[in-house]
PDB file of all heavy atoms in Angstrom:
ATOM      1  N   VAL R1553     213.841  48.197 176.017  1.00  0.00           N
ATOM      2  CA  VAL R1553     215.205  48.567 176.397  1.00  0.00           C
ATOM      3  C   VAL R1553     215.959  47.342 176.910  1.00  0.00           C
ATOM      4  O   VAL R1553     217.118  47.121 176.544  1.00  0.00           O
ATOM      5  CB  VAL R1553     215.190  49.677 177.470  1.00  0.00           C
ATOM      6  CG1 VAL R1553     216.620  50.025 177.884  1.00  0.00           C
ATOM      7  CG2 VAL R1553     214.466  50.909 176.946  1.00  0.00           C
ATOM      8  N   GLU R1554     215.299  46.544 177.746  1.00  0.00           N
ATOM      9  CA  GLU R1554     215.962  45.353 178.286  1.00  0.00           C
ATOM     10  C   GLU R1554     216.445  44.449 177.154  1.00  0.00           C
ATOM     11  O   GLU R1554     217.583  43.967 177.149  1.00  0.00           O
ATOM     12  CB  GLU R1554     215.012  44.564 179.194  1.00  0.00           C
ATOM     13  CG  GLU R1554     215.617  43.236 179.650  1.00  0.00           C
ATOM     14  CD  GLU R1554     214.788  42.525 180.711  1.00  0.00           C
ATOM     15  OE1 GLU R1554     214.559  43.115 181.777  1.00  0.00           O
ATOM     16  OE2 GLU R1554     214.365  41.380 180.457  1.00  0.00           O
ATOM     17  N   VAL R1555     215.551  44.232 176.192  1.00  0.00           N
ATOM     18  CA  VAL R1555     215.874  43.344 175.081  1.00  0.00           C
ATOM     19  C   VAL R1555     217.029  43.920 174.253  1.00  0.00           C
ATOM     20  O   VAL R1555     217.981  43.216 173.895  1.00  0.00           O
ATOM     21  CB  VAL R1555     214.608  43.122 174.227  1.00  0.00           C
ATOM     22  CG1 VAL R1555     214.963  42.642 172.841  1.00  0.00           C
ATOM     23  CG2 VAL R1555     213.681  42.133 174.925  1.00  0.00           C
ATOM     24  N   ILE R1556     216.964  45.206 173.956  1.00  0.00           N
ATOM     25  CA  ILE R1556     218.027  45.848 173.183  1.00  0.00           C
ATOM     26  C   ILE R1556     219.361  45.728 173.911  1.00  0.00           C
ATOM     27  O   ILE R1556     220.397  45.427 173.312  1.00  0.00           O
ATOM     28  CB  ILE R1556     217.683  47.341 172.930  1.00  0.00           C
ATOM     29  CG1 ILE R1556     216.516  47.435 171.943  1.00  0.00           C
ATOM     30  CG2 ILE R1556     218.895  48.103 172.429  1.00  0.00           C
ATOM     31  CD1 ILE R1556     215.895  48.821 171.853  1.00  0.00           C
ATOM     32  N   ALA R1557     219.307  45.915 175.237  1.00  0.00           N
ATOM     33  CA  ALA R1557     220.531  45.858 176.038  1.00  0.00           C
ATOM     34  C   ALA R1557     221.106  44.442 176.067  1.00  0.00           C
ATOM     35  O   ALA R1557     222.328  44.267 176.036  1.00  0.00           O
ATOM     36  CB  ALA R1557     220.256  46.345 177.454  1.00  0.00           C
ATOM     37  N   LEU R1558     220.246  43.441 176.115  1.00  0.00           N
ATOM     38  CA  LEU R1558     220.737  42.057 176.119  1.00  0.00           C
ATOM     39  C   LEU R1558     221.556  41.773 174.864  1.00  0.00           C
ATOM     40  O   LEU R1558     222.617  41.160 174.928  1.00  0.00           O
ATOM     41  CB  LEU R1558     219.569  41.075 176.221  1.00  0.00           C
ATOM     42  CG  LEU R1558     218.874  40.977 177.583  1.00  0.00           C
ATOM     43  CD1 LEU R1558     217.620  40.118 177.471  1.00  0.00           C
ATOM     44  CD2 LEU R1558     219.826  40.399 178.621  1.00  0.00           C
ATOM     45  N   GLY R1559     221.039  42.209 173.739  1.00  0.00           N
ATOM     46  CA  GLY R1559     221.770  42.019 172.491  1.00  0.00           C
ATOM     47  C   GLY R1559     223.114  42.735 172.530  1.00  0.00           C
ATOM     48  O   GLY R1559     224.146  42.174 172.146  1.00  0.00           O
ATOM     49  N   TRP R1560     223.073  43.945 173.010  1.00  0.00           N
ATOM     50  CA  TRP R1560     224.302  44.737 173.083  1.00  0.00           C
ATOM     51  C   TRP R1560     225.329  44.070 173.986  1.00  0.00           C
ATOM     52  O   TRP R1560     226.500  43.948 173.640  1.00  0.00           O
ATOM     53  CB  TRP R1560     223.982  46.145 173.590  1.00  0.00           C
ATOM     54  CG  TRP R1560     225.158  47.063 173.572  1.00  0.00           C
ATOM     55  CD1 TRP R1560     225.937  47.426 174.628  1.00  0.00           C
ATOM     56  CD2 TRP R1560     225.706  47.714 172.420  1.00  0.00           C
ATOM     57  NE1 TRP R1560     226.938  48.268 174.220  1.00  0.00           N
ATOM     58  CE2 TRP R1560     226.818  48.470 172.874  1.00  0.00           C
ATOM     59  CE3 TRP R1560     225.373  47.740 171.066  1.00  0.00           C
ATOM     60  CZ2 TRP R1560     227.584  49.232 172.007  1.00  0.00           C
ATOM     61  CZ3 TRP R1560     226.154  48.502 170.210  1.00  0.00           C
ATOM     62  CH2 TRP R1560     227.250  49.228 170.676  1.00  0.00           C
ATOM     63  N   ARG R1561     224.873  43.615 175.152  1.00  0.00           N
ATOM     64  CA  ARG R1561     225.793  42.971 176.100  1.00  0.00           C
ATOM     65  C   ARG R1561     226.341  41.673 175.528  1.00  0.00           C
ATOM     66  O   ARG R1561     227.472  41.282 175.824  1.00  0.00           O
ATOM     67  CB  ARG R1561     225.080  42.701 177.426  1.00  0.00           C
ATOM     68  CG  ARG R1561     224.568  43.938 178.145  1.00  0.00           C
ATOM     69  CD  ARG R1561     225.664  44.949 178.425  1.00  0.00           C
ATOM     70  NE  ARG R1561     225.098  46.196 178.967  1.00  0.00           N
ATOM     71  CZ  ARG R1561     225.625  47.399 178.790  1.00  0.00           C
ATOM     72  NH1 ARG R1561     226.741  47.542 178.088  1.00  0.00           N
ATOM     73  NH2 ARG R1561     225.045  48.455 179.304  1.00  0.00           N
ATOM     74  N   PHE R1562     225.521  41.012 174.740  1.00  0.00           N
ATOM     75  CA  PHE R1562     225.991  39.774 174.120  1.00  0.00           C
ATOM     76  C   PHE R1562     227.160  40.053 173.182  1.00  0.00           C
ATOM     77  O   PHE R1562     228.198  39.383 173.246  1.00  0.00           O
ATOM     78  CB  PHE R1562     224.849  39.095 173.364  1.00  0.00           C
ATOM     79  CG  PHE R1562     225.278  37.881 172.572  1.00  0.00           C
ATOM     80  CD1 PHE R1562     225.932  36.832 173.195  1.00  0.00           C
ATOM     81  CD2 PHE R1562     225.032  37.808 171.211  1.00  0.00           C
ATOM     82  CE1 PHE R1562     226.333  35.712 172.467  1.00  0.00           C
ATOM     83  CE2 PHE R1562     225.433  36.704 170.484  1.00  0.00           C
ATOM     84  CZ  PHE R1562     226.087  35.657 171.108  1.00  0.00           C
ATOM     85  N   PHE R1563     227.021  41.040 172.334  1.00  0.00           N
ATOM     86  CA  PHE R1563     228.120  41.363 171.424  1.00  0.00           C
ATOM     87  C   PHE R1563     229.365  41.764 172.204  1.00  0.00           C
ATOM     88  O   PHE R1563     230.489  41.413 171.839  1.00  0.00           O
ATOM     89  CB  PHE R1563     227.712  42.483 170.461  1.00  0.00           C
ATOM     90  CG  PHE R1563     226.698  42.037 169.442  1.00  0.00           C
ATOM     91  CD1 PHE R1563     225.447  42.627 169.382  1.00  0.00           C
ATOM     92  CD2 PHE R1563     226.982  41.014 168.557  1.00  0.00           C
ATOM     93  CE1 PHE R1563     224.503  42.207 168.449  1.00  0.00           C
ATOM     94  CE2 PHE R1563     226.047  40.584 167.619  1.00  0.00           C
ATOM     95  CZ  PHE R1563     224.804  41.194 167.572  1.00  0.00           C
ATOM     96  N   GLN R1564     229.147  42.495 173.302  1.00  0.00           N
ATOM     97  CA  GLN R1564     230.297  42.855 174.131  1.00  0.00           C
ATOM     98  C   GLN R1564     230.955  41.617 174.731  1.00  0.00           C
ATOM     99  O   GLN R1564     232.175  41.528 174.798  1.00  0.00           O
ATOM    100  CB  GLN R1564     229.852  43.791 175.261  1.00  0.00           C
ATOM    101  CG  GLN R1564     229.525  45.195 174.778  1.00  0.00           C
ATOM    102  CD  GLN R1564     229.411  46.164 175.936  1.00  0.00           C
ATOM    103  OE1 GLN R1564     228.856  45.818 176.980  1.00  0.00           O
ATOM    104  NE2 GLN R1564     229.937  47.364 175.752  1.00  0.00           N
ATOM    105  N   ALA R1565     230.121  40.674 175.173  1.00  0.00           N
ATOM    106  CA  ALA R1565     230.657  39.467 175.799  1.00  0.00           C
ATOM    107  C   ALA R1565     231.497  38.664 174.812  1.00  0.00           C
ATOM    108  O   ALA R1565     232.446  37.979 175.197  1.00  0.00           O
ATOM    109  CB  ALA R1565     229.524  38.612 176.352  1.00  0.00           C
ATOM    110  N   LEU R1566     231.140  38.738 173.541  1.00  0.00           N
ATOM    111  CA  LEU R1566     231.935  38.040 172.533  1.00  0.00           C
ATOM    112  C   LEU R1566     233.266  38.740 172.302  1.00  0.00           C
ATOM    113  O   LEU R1566     234.185  38.153 171.742  1.00  0.00           O
ATOM    114  CB  LEU R1566     231.165  37.983 171.208  1.00  0.00           C
ATOM    115  CG  LEU R1566     229.909  37.113 171.186  1.00  0.00           C
ATOM    116  CD1 LEU R1566     229.189  37.272 169.854  1.00  0.00           C
ATOM    117  CD2 LEU R1566     230.241  35.654 171.441  1.00  0.00           C
ATOM    118  N   GLY R1567     233.336  39.998 172.695  1.00  0.00           N
ATOM    119  CA  GLY R1567     234.543  40.770 172.485  1.00  0.00           C
ATOM    120  C   GLY R1567     234.443  41.763 171.343  1.00  0.00           C
ATOM    121  O   GLY R1567     235.399  42.480 171.047  1.00  0.00           O
ATOM    122  N   LEU R1568     233.282  41.809 170.683  1.00  0.00           N
ATOM    123  CA  LEU R1568     233.114  42.733 169.560  1.00  0.00           C
ATOM    124  C   LEU R1568     233.055  44.170 170.079  1.00  0.00           C
ATOM    125  O   LEU R1568     232.408  44.457 171.085  1.00  0.00           O
ATOM    126  CB  LEU R1568     231.829  42.404 168.787  1.00  0.00           C
ATOM    127  CG  LEU R1568     231.872  41.110 167.983  1.00  0.00           C
ATOM    128  CD1 LEU R1568     230.475  40.742 167.488  1.00  0.00           C
ATOM    129  CD2 LEU R1568     232.813  41.257 166.795  1.00  0.00           C
ATOM    130  N   ARG R1569     233.768  45.042 169.392  1.00  0.00           N
ATOM    131  CA  ARG R1569     233.812  46.439 169.830  1.00  0.00           C
ATOM    132  C   ARG R1569     233.298  47.403 168.755  1.00  0.00           C
ATOM    133  O   ARG R1569     233.160  48.580 168.989  1.00  0.00           O
ATOM    134  CB  ARG R1569     235.265  46.817 170.188  1.00  0.00           C
ATOM    135  CG  ARG R1569     235.776  46.111 171.433  1.00  0.00           C
ATOM    136  CD  ARG R1569     235.022  46.564 172.667  1.00  0.00           C
ATOM    137  NE  ARG R1569     235.410  45.826 173.865  1.00  0.00           N
ATOM    138  CZ  ARG R1569     234.800  44.721 174.296  1.00  0.00           C
ATOM    139  NH1 ARG R1569     233.767  44.236 173.610  1.00  0.00           N
ATOM    140  NH2 ARG R1569     235.199  44.121 175.392  1.00  0.00           N
ATOM    141  N   ARG R1570     233.067  46.886 167.583  1.00  0.00           N
ATOM    142  CA  ARG R1570     232.725  47.810 166.490  1.00  0.00           C
ATOM    143  C   ARG R1570     231.303  47.608 165.998  1.00  0.00           C
ATOM    144  O   ARG R1570     230.961  47.964 164.880  1.00  0.00           O
ATOM    145  CB  ARG R1570     233.732  47.623 165.348  1.00  0.00           C
ATOM    146  CG  ARG R1570     235.135  48.046 165.774  1.00  0.00           C
ATOM    147  CD  ARG R1570     236.151  47.755 164.698  1.00  0.00           C
ATOM    148  NE  ARG R1570     235.859  48.466 163.463  1.00  0.00           N
ATOM    149  CZ  ARG R1570     236.548  48.320 162.338  1.00  0.00           C
ATOM    150  NH1 ARG R1570     237.565  47.489 162.320  1.00  0.00           N
ATOM    151  NH2 ARG R1570     236.222  48.990 161.263  1.00  0.00           N
ATOM    152  N   VAL R1571     230.457  47.035 166.842  1.00  0.00           N
ATOM    153  CA  VAL R1571     229.052  46.869 166.478  1.00  0.00           C
ATOM    154  C   VAL R1571     228.325  48.198 166.691  1.00  0.00           C
ATOM    155  O   VAL R1571     228.604  48.913 167.652  1.00  0.00           O
ATOM    156  CB  VAL R1571     228.395  45.765 167.330  1.00  0.00           C
ATOM    157  CG1 VAL R1571     226.913  45.658 167.031  1.00  0.00           C
ATOM    158  CG2 VAL R1571     229.086  44.436 167.062  1.00  0.00           C
ATOM    159  N   GLU R1572     227.424  48.527 165.760  1.00  0.00           N
ATOM    160  CA  GLU R1572     226.638  49.749 165.893  1.00  0.00           C
ATOM    161  C   GLU R1572     225.167  49.385 166.067  1.00  0.00           C
ATOM    162  O   GLU R1572     224.672  48.454 165.440  1.00  0.00           O
ATOM    163  CB  GLU R1572     226.802  50.634 164.650  1.00  0.00           C
ATOM    164  CG  GLU R1572     228.206  51.180 164.506  1.00  0.00           C
ATOM    165  CD  GLU R1572     228.359  52.011 163.242  1.00  0.00           C
ATOM    166  OE1 GLU R1572     227.319  52.386 162.656  1.00  0.00           O
ATOM    167  OE2 GLU R1572     229.504  52.264 162.854  1.00  0.00           O
ATOM    168  N   LEU R1573     224.505  50.151 166.910  1.00  0.00           N
ATOM    169  CA  LEU R1573     223.079  49.943 167.164  1.00  0.00           C
ATOM    170  C   LEU R1573     222.282  51.026 166.454  1.00  0.00           C
ATOM    171  O   LEU R1573     222.552  52.214 166.628  1.00  0.00           O
ATOM    172  CB  LEU R1573     222.813  49.979 168.671  1.00  0.00           C
ATOM    173  CG  LEU R1573     221.352  49.970 169.125  1.00  0.00           C
ATOM    174  CD1 LEU R1573     220.651  48.689 168.688  1.00  0.00           C
ATOM    175  CD2 LEU R1573     221.277  50.133 170.645  1.00  0.00           C
ATOM    176  N   ALA R1574     221.334  50.612 165.640  1.00  0.00           N
ATOM    177  CA  ALA R1574     220.448  51.556 164.947  1.00  0.00           C
ATOM    178  C   ALA R1574     219.032  51.365 165.471  1.00  0.00           C
ATOM    179  O   ALA R1574     218.556  50.240 165.596  1.00  0.00           O
ATOM    180  CB  ALA R1574     220.497  51.319 163.445  1.00  0.00           C
ATOM    181  N   LEU R1575     218.385  52.473 165.785  1.00  0.00           N
ATOM    182  CA  LEU R1575     217.033  52.444 166.358  1.00  0.00           C
ATOM    183  C   LEU R1575     216.064  53.192 165.456  1.00  0.00           C
ATOM    184  O   LEU R1575     216.409  54.181 164.827  1.00  0.00           O
ATOM    185  CB  LEU R1575     217.002  53.155 167.720  1.00  0.00           C
ATOM    186  CG  LEU R1575     217.527  52.471 168.971  1.00  0.00           C
ATOM    187  CD1 LEU R1575     217.276  53.389 170.161  1.00  0.00           C
ATOM    188  CD2 LEU R1575     216.850  51.144 169.176  1.00  0.00           C
ATOM    189  N   ASN R1576     214.835  52.712 165.443  1.00  0.00           N
ATOM    190  CA  ASN R1576     213.780  53.447 164.739  1.00  0.00           C
ATOM    191  C   ASN R1576     212.440  53.035 165.332  1.00  0.00           C
ATOM    192  O   ASN R1576     212.360  52.079 166.115  1.00  0.00           O
ATOM    193  CB  ASN R1576     213.809  53.140 163.240  1.00  0.00           C
ATOM    194  CG  ASN R1576     212.914  54.071 162.434  1.00  0.00           C
ATOM    195  OD1 ASN R1576     212.674  55.201 162.859  1.00  0.00           O
ATOM    196  ND2 ASN R1576     212.422  53.596 161.319  1.00  0.00           N
ATOM    197  N   THR R1577     211.404  53.754 164.971  1.00  0.00           N
ATOM    198  CA  THR R1577     210.052  53.349 165.337  1.00  0.00           C
ATOM    199  C   THR R1577     209.181  53.394 164.094  1.00  0.00           C
ATOM    200  O   THR R1577     209.358  54.253 163.233  1.00  0.00           O
ATOM    201  CB  THR R1577     209.448  54.233 166.437  1.00  0.00           C
ATOM    202  OG1 THR R1577     208.121  53.774 166.723  1.00  0.00           O
ATOM    203  CG2 THR R1577     209.411  55.688 166.011  1.00  0.00           C
ATOM    204  N   LEU R1578     208.309  52.427 163.988  1.00  0.00           N
ATOM    205  CA  LEU R1578     207.371  52.398 162.864  1.00  0.00           C
ATOM    206  C   LEU R1578     205.981  52.828 163.314  1.00  0.00           C
ATOM    207  O   LEU R1578     205.035  52.790 162.533  1.00  0.00           O
ATOM    208  CB  LEU R1578     207.309  50.981 162.265  1.00  0.00           C
ATOM    209  CG  LEU R1578     208.615  50.478 161.672  1.00  0.00           C
ATOM    210  CD1 LEU R1578     208.491  49.035 161.206  1.00  0.00           C
ATOM    211  CD2 LEU R1578     209.053  51.364 160.509  1.00  0.00           C
ATOM    212  N   GLY R1579     205.840  53.221 164.599  1.00  0.00           N
ATOM    213  CA  GLY R1579     204.559  53.745 165.077  1.00  0.00           C
ATOM    214  C   GLY R1579     203.540  52.668 165.367  1.00  0.00           C
ATOM    215  O   GLY R1579     203.778  51.470 165.183  1.00  0.00           O
ATOM    216  N   GLN R1580     202.414  53.115 165.852  1.00  0.00           N
ATOM    217  CA  GLN R1580     201.286  52.216 166.097  1.00  0.00           C
ATOM    218  C   GLN R1580     200.734  51.749 164.751  1.00  0.00           C
ATOM    219  O   GLN R1580     201.040  52.355 163.723  1.00  0.00           O
ATOM    220  CB  GLN R1580     200.176  52.956 166.860  1.00  0.00           C
ATOM    221  CG  GLN R1580     200.676  53.751 168.043  1.00  0.00           C
ATOM    222  CD  GLN R1580     200.602  52.970 169.344  1.00  0.00           C
ATOM    223  OE1 GLN R1580     200.774  51.752 169.343  1.00  0.00           O
ATOM    224  NE2 GLN R1580     200.370  53.669 170.440  1.00  0.00           N
ATOM    225  N   PRO R1581     199.885  50.730 164.754  1.00  0.00           N
ATOM    226  CA  PRO R1581     199.331  50.255 163.480  1.00  0.00           C
ATOM    227  C   PRO R1581     198.716  51.370 162.635  1.00  0.00           C
ATOM    228  O   PRO R1581     198.944  51.434 161.414  1.00  0.00           O
ATOM    229  CB  PRO R1581     198.282  49.241 163.923  1.00  0.00           C
ATOM    230  CG  PRO R1581     198.818  48.705 165.215  1.00  0.00           C
ATOM    231  CD  PRO R1581     199.513  49.851 165.874  1.00  0.00           C
ATOM    232  N   ASP R1582     197.953  52.278 163.275  1.00  0.00           N
ATOM    233  CA  ASP R1582     197.348  53.373 162.508  1.00  0.00           C
ATOM    234  C   ASP R1582     198.407  54.315 161.951  1.00  0.00           C
ATOM    235  O   ASP R1582     198.323  54.769 160.806  1.00  0.00           O
ATOM    236  CB  ASP R1582     196.371  54.163 163.393  1.00  0.00           C
ATOM    237  CG  ASP R1582     195.047  53.420 163.534  1.00  0.00           C
ATOM    238  OD1 ASP R1582     194.837  52.454 162.764  1.00  0.00           O
ATOM    239  OD2 ASP R1582     194.249  53.799 164.404  1.00  0.00           O
TER     240      ASP R1582
END
Side-chain angles (χ1 to χ4, degrees):
Chain R
V1553 178
E1554 174 172 301
V1555 160
I1556 290 167
L1558 287 172
W1560 186 259
R1561 299 303 173 210
F1562 174 56
F1563 289 119
Q1564 287 193 320
L1566 292 174
L1568 289 169
R1569 291 294 175 268
R1570 294 175 61 184
V1571 176
E1572 293 178 15
L1573 172 62
L1575 282 184
N1576 191 27
T1577 179
L1578 297 175
Q1580 313 266 33
D1582 282 347

